Amino acid sequence: MLSSPDPQSLATAVELAIAARSARLGRAAHAQIVKCLSPLVPSFLSNHLVNMYSKLDLPSAAASTLALDPVPSVVSWTALISGAAQNGRALPALLHFTAMLRASVRPNDFTLPSTFKAAAALRHSLAGRQLHSFSLKTGLINDVFVACGALDMYYKTGLALEARQMFDEMPHKNIVAWNAVMTNAVLDGRPGEAIDAFSKLRLSGESPNTISLCAFFNACAGASYLWLGAQLHAFVIQSGFDSDMSVGNGLIDFYGKCHCVDEARAVFDGMPTKNDVSWCSMIVVYAQNGAEEEAFNVYLDARREGIKPTDFIVSSVLTTCAGLSGLDLGRSVHAVAIRSCIDGNIFVGSALVDMYGKCGSISDAEQAFREMPDRNLVSWNAMIGGYAHYGDAHMALAVFDEMINSGEVAPNYVTLVNVITACSRGGMTREGLDLFETMRERFGIQPRTEHYACVVDLLGRAGMEERAYEFIKEMPVRPSVSVWGALLGACRVHGMTELGRIAAEKLFEIDPQDSGNHVLLSNMFASAGRWEEATEVRKEMKDVGIKKGPGCSWIIWKNVVHVFQAKDTTHERNDEIQAMLAKLRREMQAAGYVPDTQYALYDLEEEEKETEVLQHSEKLALAFGLICIPPGIPIRITKNLRVCGDCHRAIKFISGIVGREIVVRDNNRFHHFKDYQCSCRDYW
DNA sequence: GTAGGGTTAG
C-alpha cells in the first residue's frame, strides 16, 4: 500500500490552490485530505481549508467546512469573517461574528479589523460602536490593526468627529492610520484635508507607501491641483514608486481630471504592467475630455489585449457610446455585457438605459430599465432623461409619478431638471411651471441655477420670451451662462432680435471666449436680414481672437465615424454625395419644398443662398447615409449644434420621398423623421 | 496558518 501524504504537504497543496486562485485545485486538495485523513481531519487542516474557500469567495463551502469541524478554532472563524467582509458580503460577516461569540470562541486581534470593515460597509454605526466597546473591554483596541479598523469604521459611518478623536489619541500613528485619514477625507469630498494630512505624515517621519500616494493623487484630482500632483509625480519617479500599478492608475486618473490627456497617456504607455483598472481609467480620461472616438479605440485595444470586460469598463464604454450617439456600437457593448454576465450590475444597467436613451432608441431604454434587477436614483433619472431627450413629456411624467409612488427612492435635483426639461420639449408649459413652483415644498429640493435655466427654456419655447426675461430679472441667484443661453436660443427661434441682443451681451460678459453665443447672435441678425450687424459680430470675434468651434454632423457606419462640416468637400465619396444632394433637391422641389434661406449665414444672392443651405453638415451626412446604408435600416445622424430650420424641413421631405426613417440627434434633443413628419411636431 | 488602509463607472 502506498504511504499517505503527510498532513504538512496536504496543507501546502491547499496554499498552492490559493496562490493559483484555482477553485479546481482547492477542491482536489480537499478531496485528497478527506480520502487520506477522514474521519480525523486535524483542526489545522480545517483552518487551511476554510481560509482557502473564503479567499476564493466560495462562501458556502467555507461555512460547511467550518460546520464539520467539531471544535472550530478562532483561526477558522476569522478566515470565514474576513472572506465575507473582503468579498462584499458584509451582513454574513457580522452574522458569523455573533455565531462565533455564541460558540464561545473569543475573537482576537485578527478577527476585529474585518468585522469593523463589515460594519463600515453596512454604514451601521451602532454595530460599529458595539464592536468598539467590545475592543475596549477586551483590551484588543491596543492593537494598532484593531484601532485602525475602528477609525476607518467611524469615518465610513459618518462619525468623523469620533474618528478624529480616535486618531488624535492613538499613541503610535502608523501608516495605515494616516492612510485611513487621507482616503476618507477624499471620499467625503475634503481633498484639502487629505493633502494636509499627507504633509503632516511626512513631518512625522513616517514614509508614505503606495496607498498614501494613491490617496494623494486622488485628492489632487478632486481639487484640480495640477501643480501639486505633478510635483509629487516627480517624487514618485525618483523613489521608484512609478512602477507600482495602483500608483500609475492613480496618476492616469489625476491627469485626466486635470484635463492633461497627453500626460495621462504617457503614464499609461510607460507602465510596466497594466490591469483592467489601468485600461478603464484610460478610457474614462478620453471620454471625459471629449475624445469619445479615442476612448472607444482604447476599449478595442483592451479587448485585443485580452482584458476582461468588467462592470467598470462596460459602463464607461457605454457612456462613450452615448456621447458618440453610436447605437450599433452600444448594442455590441450590450452583447458583451450579457456574455460577461454583468448586465445585471446596477451601474451597467443604468448606463444601458442612458445609452439607449441618448442614442434615440427609447424602447430599448425602456426594456433595459424594466429588466434591471435593482434600480436606484441614477437609473430612474436616466429613464426620465431618456424620455426628455425623446421629447415625450407624457411618458417622462408617467415614469416620474411611478418613481414617487414606488417609494424606492426620493427625487433629487437631477430628477427635477429632467422632468422640467421634458415638459419644455413636449410643450407642457403649465405642468413644468407647476413642478418648478412646488419642488421645494413637495420634494424638499432647493431650485438651483439649472432649474431656472429650464424654466427660461420652457417659457422661451412657448413664445413667452418677455416673461422669461422678467423671470430672470427676479431670480434670487445670479443668472448663469445656461440661463441667458436659453433666452438667446428662444429669441433666435422666434426672431426676437432686440431681446436676443440683451441676452447675448450678458453672455459675452460672463464668458467672452465662448464662440457658440457669438455665432448664435450673428445668425440671429442674419435671419433678420440685418447683415451689417451679423458681420460686425463675426468681425468682433475675429478681433478678440475667438476661434469658432465648427458645427459638424456625423454618422457611424461599420464602426467608422464619418464627420462632415458645412460645405465640406473632403470626404472620399464627395462626388457621389454631391450627386445625391442634387437629386434630392430636384425631388424635394417637385414635392413642394422651398429652401428657407433665412438660415443662410451670409448676405448672398438668393440662388447662392439656396446652394449654401444645401451644403449644411446635416444634409451632407444624410446624403452619405443614403448612399451607403441599405434600405430598411434607419439613418442616424448626430449634430453638435442645434439642427437648422431649413434642414429640419428638408429632412421631413426627404424622409417621405425616400421612404426611410431618419433620426437626427442634435445637442438638444431627438428628431425622428418619417413619412414627411417629425416626432417633435415642429415644436423644438 | 488568520488581519488593516487602495485606483476605475452610471
Side-chain angles (χ1 to χ4, degrees), chain A residues 364-386:
Chain A
D364 287 311
E366 178 80 44
Q367 192 182 348
F369 181 69
R370 297 297 162 197
E371 285 174 357
M372 285 180 76
D374 311 299
R375 285 194 277 263
N376 61 13
L377 179 60
V378 180
S379 335
W380 285 98
N381 286 350
M383 191 65 246
I384 296 169

Side-chain angles (χ1 to χ4, degrees), chain A residues 66 82 99 118 168 209 227 236 271 275 341 363 393 397 402 450 469 476 485 507 539 545 558 562 576 588-589 667 677:
Chain A
L66 181 131
S82 62
D168 291 339
N209 64 7
W227 174 232
V236 161
M271 284 171 76
N275 64 358
C341 304
S363 56
L397 284 169
E402 190 189 339
E450 291 102 309
Y469 185 42
L507 284 164
K539 187 174 166 292
K558 295 196 172 165
H562 298 266
E576 292 166 80
M588 285 195 295
Q589 281 172 348
N667 62 348
Q677 298 293 323

Side-chain angles (χ1 to χ4, degrees), chain A residues 580-594:
Chain A
M580 175 59 83
L581 282 174
K583 180 169 162 277
L584 288 171
R585 183 188 194 166
R586 283 193 302 275
E587 290 175 354
M588 285 195 295
Q589 281 172 348
Y593 159 82
V594 182

Side-chain angles (χ1 to χ4, degrees), chain A residues 144 512 648:
Chain A
V144 69
H648 192 266

Side-chain angles (χ1 to χ4, degrees), chain A residues 179-215:
Chain A
N179 289 348
V181 171
M182 289 180 67
T183 54
N184 283 296
V186 176
L187 281 175
D188 295 344
R190 296 188 307 269
E193 198 178 309
I195 290 164
D196 201 40
F198 185 80
S199 50
K200 284 195 186 128
L201 170 158
R202 299 206 64 187
L203 286 173
S204 80
E206 194 78 47
S207 300
N209 64 7
T210 57
I211 289 163
S212 334
L213 294 170
C214 280

Side-chain angles (χ1 to χ4, degrees), chain A residues 265-444:
Chain A
R265 181 74 203 209
V267 173
F268 179 77
D269 288 335
M271 284 171 76
T273 45
K274 304 181 183 76
N275 64 358
D276 53 327
V277 179
S278 328
W279 286 93
C280 184
S281 306
M282 200 59 233
I283 292 169
V284 172
V285 168
Y286 282 123
Q288 290 184 345
N289 285 284
E292 280 90 358
E293 255 190 277
E294 203 54 52
F296 199 82
N297 285 332
V298 174
Y299 165 70
L300 294 178
D301 287 342
R303 297 303 312 276
R304 256 175 247 128
E305 291 284 322
I307 297 294
K308 206 173 126 221
T310 60
D311 44 357
F312 277 88
I313 290 179
V314 167
S315 53
S316 311
V317 177
L318 285 170
T319 310
T320 304
C321 297
L324 272 175
S325 208
L327 182 60
D328 293 332
L329 298 181
R331 280 195 208 286
S332 70
V333 179
H334 188 180
V336 169
I338 293 170
R339 279 202 298 275
S340 312
C341 304
I342 50 169
D343 52 323
N345 174 281
I346 194 157
F347 277 83
V348 173
S350 301
L352 278 169
V353 175
D354 184 57
M355 181 277 289
Y356 281 124
K358 292 213 171 109
C359 292
S361 194
I362 197 71
S363 56
D364 287 311
E366 178 80 44
Q367 192 182 348
F369 181 69
R370 297 297 162 197
E371 285 174 357
M372 285 180 76
D374 311 299
R375 285 194 277 263
N376 61 13
L377 179 60
V378 180
S379 335
W380 285 98
N381 286 350
M383 191 65 246
I384 296 169
Y387 280 118
H389 254 281
Y390 198 72
D392 191 335
H394 289 281
M395 277 310 294
L397 284 169
V399 177
F400 178 62
D401 286 340
E402 190 189 339
M403 171 183 178
I404 306 286
N405 295 332
S406 77
E408 278 177 39
V409 281
N412 71 348
Y413 79 99
V414 178
T415 322
L416 265 296
V417 168
N418 288 354
V419 213
I420 301 174
T421 305
C423 290
S424 175
R425 308 251 164 94
M428 297 177 73
T429 314
R430 187 65 253 158
E431 289 79 356
L433 283 174
D434 274 348
L435 277 164
F436 175 78
E437 279 156 11
T438 58
M439 59 190 272
R440 195 188 326 229
E441 50 180 295
R442 276 179 71 196
F443 309 113

Side-chain angles (χ1 to χ4, degrees), chain A residues 599-647:
Chain A
Y599 292 97
L601 296 182
Y602 304 95
D603 186 12
L604 307 164
E605 292 304 317
E606 200 57 25
E607 198 174 323
E608 291 172 54
K609 280 189 195 169
E610 288 186 27
T611 319
E612 213 256 351
V613 295
L614 197 65
Q615 296 292 329
H616 280 178
S617 64
E618 49 269 59
K619 293 199 186 86
L620 291 170
L622 175 57
F624 171 73
L626 287 168
I627 292 165
C628 59
I629 300 175
I633 300 174
I635 297 172
R636 297 174 179 278
I637 297 164
T638 310
K639 185 174 178 184
N640 67 343
L641 306 172
R642 230 164 130 136
V643 61
C644 112
D646 178 66
C647 289

Side-chain angles (χ1 to χ4, degrees), chain A residues 149-291:
Chain A
L151 175 70
D152 189 53
M153 178 278 297
Y154 278 126
Y155 271 121
K156 297 235 155 73
T157 53
L159 299 170
L161 281 177
E162 278 84 346
R164 279 233 66 99
Q165 197 186 344
M166 274 207 71
F167 180 74
D168 291 339
E169 287 170 0
M170 277 173 83
H172 170 66
K173 297 173 176 57
N174 71 351
I175 188 64
V176 178
W178 284 107
N179 289 348
V181 171
M182 289 180 67
T183 54
N184 283 296
V186 176
L187 281 175
D188 295 344
R190 296 188 307 269
E193 198 178 309
I195 290 164
D196 201 40
F198 185 80
S199 50
K200 284 195 186 128
L201 170 158
R202 299 206 64 187
L203 286 173
S204 80
E206 194 78 47
S207 300
N209 64 7
T210 57
I211 289 163
S212 334
L213 294 170
C214 280
F216 185 86
F217 287 124
N218 222 341
C220 291
S224 283
Y225 286 153
L226 174 61
W227 174 232
L228 197 59
Q231 260 181 302
L232 204 77
H233 186 188
F235 164 79
V236 161
I237 294 170
Q238 265 174 18
S239 51
F241 274 120
D242 58 331
S243 56
D244 181 85
M245 197 148 54
S246 297
V247 173
N249 295 344
L251 273 166
I252 295 172
D253 179 59
F254 154 68
Y255 279 122
K257 293 225 166 81
C258 293
H259 311 293
C260 299
V261 177
D262 295 339
E263 282 78 1
R265 181 74 203 209
V267 173
F268 179 77
D269 288 335
M271 284 171 76
T273 45
K274 304 181 183 76
N275 64 358
D276 53 327
V277 179
S278 328
W279 286 93
C280 184
S281 306
M282 200 59 233
I283 292 169
V284 172
V285 168
Y286 282 123
Q288 290 184 345
N289 285 284

